[in-house]
Amino acid sequence: MISLQHLPNGFAYVEVRNSVATAKIALQGAHLFHYARHGEEALLWVSGASAFKEGEAIRGGVPLCWPWFGMHLSDDSLPQHGFARTVLWEFVETTEEEEATEVTFLLKSSATTQQWWPYHFELLYRIRIGSELTLELTTRNSDESAFSITQALHTYFKISHISNIHVKGLHNKPYYDALTHTKQIQHGDITVNEEVDRVYQEVREPIVLIDKQRSITIDNEGSDSVVVWNPWVEKCARMSAMEATSYETMLCIESANAFDDERIIEPHQTHTLRARIQLG
Ligand code: TA6
């Protein structure tokens, strides 16, 4: 079952309910903000302080960072993480199978987008909701010039408590530490007991988030970089739409083309960033 729903303030989202799971995707930003298999904990964390209002990215779920990740390289008046997550997308297609539903959203360049980024493009975002969750963001260059993008599926995972988790799969990977502005190498699994803001490179194997008895496997394609972020106490207190204890129950593991993993897309060519998320 698929329906278009509206919050009292008019904020629109698509609700999906099938035989295995439920999901909710806002038209603004094609922003997946809920996914849960029946009878299980939600996969994604969403802040209780998130406003769900026009022009403001939902704090949590899977914000789409596009066509740049982080701050714009030459104009810091432009929004962090690009504009795709705060503009309205079109809900263009749905396919229902026995145990999965696929929904597709489209964002095309316009006079609005060209005020931030001067290229012609089409973004197609397919979300497959079943016992697994697959996110597939395809950029088509419909311009006559090549362009470069950086991007991320900025996934906020819901966790039992930050002290219970560890992340496997990044041992020996190089990363940029955004807190110290230094390049480091990961030794062993990641545990979190302070602010963590790292962009890992050369990542070509699945990453596994272990949270007590629950394991979440993130298998990326079209991506060689992964961002791991937790704001911890002080930054959490300073950030918008965060509650004081938000950092305790969320961890971002972001499937990305970030920094050195930028992608050049030639005219009329495409690039797809795909994340397959399996729950154990
Ligand atoms: O992906 C990590 C990060 O770049 C952090 O530095 C932090 O800024 C986070 O994204 C949240 O960014 P946002 O623009 O959503 O507040």
Side-chain angles (χ1 to χ4, degrees):
M1 188 268 286
I2 297 166
S3 59
L4 184 62
Q5 303 285 336
H6 293 83
L7 295 177
N9 67 355
F11 194 83
Y13 65 92
V14 172
E15 184 163 20
V16 174
R17 175 178 294 276
N18 60 33
S19 59
V20 292
T22 58
K24 295 178 183 175
I25 309 101
L27 293 189
Q28 177 176 280
H31 195 137
L32 176 67
F33 63 91
H34 174 77
Y35 166 82
R37 296 194 306 196
H38 295 321
E40 294 186 10
E41 272 286 311
L43 176 72
L44 304 172
W45 177 90
V46 178
S47 170
S50 200
F52 286 85
K53 71 179 184 185
E54 192 179 330
E56 193 176 305
I58 297 165
R59 173 66 72 196
V62 186
L64 298 179
C65 304
W66 191 94
W68 60 83
F69 173 82
M71 294 308 292
H72 187 276
L73 290 180
S74 57
D75 181 352
D76 58 14
S77 71
L78 293 172
Q80 177 168 354
H81 292 331
F83 53 81
R85 62 178 174 167
T86 49
V87 294
L88 275 184
W89 289 54
E90 287 177 71
F91 175 32
V92 292
E93 190 180 357
T94 179
T95 311
E96 296 203 75
E97 301 166 18
E98 183 71 26
E99 296 194 334
T101 307
E102 189 169 277
V103 290
T104 304
F105 296 84
L106 173 67
L107 177 67
K108 284 185 173 179
S109 50
S110 64
T112 301
T113 64
Q114 290 187 325
Q115 66 183 322
W116 300 307
W117 201 60
Y119 299 101
H120 295 280
F121 66 87
E122 283 189 12
L123 265 185
L124 205 62
Y125 185 36
R126 290 187 197 289
I127 304 173
R128 184 178 171 78
I129 296 126
S131 62
E132 302 177 356
L133 176 68
T134 302
L135 309 173
E136 184 179 278
L137 182 62
T138 297
T139 300
R140 172 177 299 282
N141 180 341
S142 47
D143 206 295
E144 294 309 314
S145 310
F147 56 57
S148 164
I149 62 167
T150 55
Q151 59 183 342
L153 307 174
H154 194 296
T155 310
Y156 286 74
F157 288 99
K158 186 175 189 293
I159 56 177
S160 60
H161 191 273
I162 195 69
S163 59
N164 294 333
I165 65 94
H166 60 282
V167 178
K168 306 179 75 66
L170 293 168
H171 174 59
N172 273 345
K173 297 300 179 187
Y175 66 88
Y176 174 74
D177 186 320
L179 305 175
T180 59
H181 308 292
T182 57
K183 294 200 171 182
Q184 307 285 343
I185 302 286
Q186 181 60 37
H187 297 298
D189 294 352
I190 298 171
T191 55
V192 179
N193 54 21
E194 58 184 350
E195 183 180 355
V196 169
D197 193 348
R198 302 173 186 171
V199 182
Y200 288 86
Q201 296 291 347
E202 301 171 24
V203 183
R204 300 181 185 98
E205 305 82 19
I207 297 120
V208 185
L209 168 59
I210 308 285
D211 180 5
K212 300 200 291 188
Q213 279 67 43
R214 193 182 206 196
S215 72
I216 296 166
T217 301
I218 304 134
D219 195 354
N220 297 324
E221 287 179 46
S223 157
D224 290 339
S225 52
V226 164
V227 184
V228 178
W229 174 61
N230 182 281
W232 208 246
V233 180
E234 195 271 328
K235 183 158 190 181
C236 190
R238 281 192 287 118
M239 292 192 75
S240 63
M242 282 282 206
E243 295 164 308
T245 57
S246 289
Y247 74 94
E248 293 179 345
T249 54
M250 53 74 65
L251 179 71
C252 282
I253 302 175
E254 305 162 31
S255 309
N257 294 119
F259 299 173
D260 298 353
D261 187 22
E262 73 170 317
R263 299 300 167 114
I264 311 289
I265 307 176
E266 297 297 330
H268 314 299
Q269 300 302 308
T270 62
H271 173 70
T272 295
L273 168 60
R274 183 180 297 108
R276 180 183 174 204
I277 303 171
Q278 298 166 280
L279 291 78

